[in-house]
């Protein structure tokens, strides 16, 4: 297995690969440093280094975490379970590439056995859906990006 370097470019490439492969979390450690990447959570990138390298290693992670993509982020209004469709045998409300208008139903968040329809607050195109169907979500967790 190839050794991962503690550089901005390498961390950025790891984040891209996570998105490409659909991973939500990645941990890696070697004798030089440790890294844990967790998708879609604030302050999700952390780097810990041995005592000898403390001066340089911790500064690498925040810059990589600061990368933002254009668009409006739709966040979960409540804690619950994300559903992309009105029923298991129905088509999803939205898919990547679909145009939406303010007020369109874009998902359901089930909370305490209640199905809460969530409407778009933005006009635009769904660029990214960050949560899998049936996945538990937290309040204010990013769900999708609309540009």
């Amino acid at each position: 297995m190839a050794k991962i370097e503690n550089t901005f470019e390498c961390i950025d490439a790891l984040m891209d690969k996570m998105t490409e492969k659909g991973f939500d979390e990645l941990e890696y450690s070697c004798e030089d440093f440790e890294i844990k990447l967790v998708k879609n959570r604030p302050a999700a990138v952390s780097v810990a280094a041995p005592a000898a390298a403390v001066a340089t290693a911790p500064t690498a992670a925040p810059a990589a975490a600061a990368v933002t993509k254009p668009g409006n982020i739709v966040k979960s209004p409540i804690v619950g379970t994300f559903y992309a469709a009105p029923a298991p045998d129905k088509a999803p409300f939205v898919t990547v590439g679909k145009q939406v208008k303010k007020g369109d139903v874009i998902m359901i968040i089930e909370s305490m056995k209640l199905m809460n329809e969530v409407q778009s607050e933005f006009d635009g195109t769904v660029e990214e859906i960050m949560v899998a169907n049936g996945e538990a979500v937290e309040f204010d967790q990013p769900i999708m990006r609309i540009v």
Side-chain angles (χ1 to χ4, degrees):
M1 181 171 155
K3 185 175 178 181
I4 297 174
E5 296 176 297
N6 184 14
T7 64
F8 291 118
E9 294 81 18
C10 192
I11 293 169
D12 193 42
L14 282 173
M15 292 188 315
D16 289 343
K17 189 59 85 172
M18 282 177 61
T19 300
E20 176 186 316
K21 298 293 185 181
F23 294 125
D24 292 327
E25 190 170 321
L26 174 109
E27 288 186 57
Y28 174 81
S29 64
C30 66
E31 60 272 0
D32 299 326
F33 73 101
E34 294 178 3
I35 187 166
K36 179 177 181 181
L37 302 171
V38 180
K39 187 176 178 183
N40 299 327
R41 294 191 186 134
V45 178
S46 64
V47 173
V54 169
T56 58
T59 59
V67 176
T68 58
K69 296 179 182 176
N72 298 302
I73 301 297
V74 178
K75 297 180 179 180
S76 178
I78 55 177
V79 173
T81 304
F82 166 79
Y83 292 110
D89 60 337
K90 301 288 183 185
F93 292 108
V94 297
T95 55
V96 172
K98 182 174 182 186
Q99 292 282 120
V100 295
K101 293 185 180 183
K102 186 175 181 177
D104 288 352
V105 175
I106 55 174
M107 71 181 101
I108 290 176
I109 304 291
E110 177 188 4
S111 181
M112 299 180 66
K113 304 290 181 189
L114 294 174
M115 300 297 179
N116 300 282
E117 290 186 343
V118 178
Q119 298 176 344
S120 177
E121 298 176 13
F122 315 104
D123 291 336
T125 303
V126 176
E127 186 72 22
E128 180 179 13
I129 299 175
M130 304 169 195
V131 179
N133 190 49
E135 187 175 320
V137 294
E138 297 293 326
F139 170 72
D140 215 28
Q141 177 180 343
I143 305 290
M144 63 182 69
R145 185 167 52 94
I146 298 175
V147 294

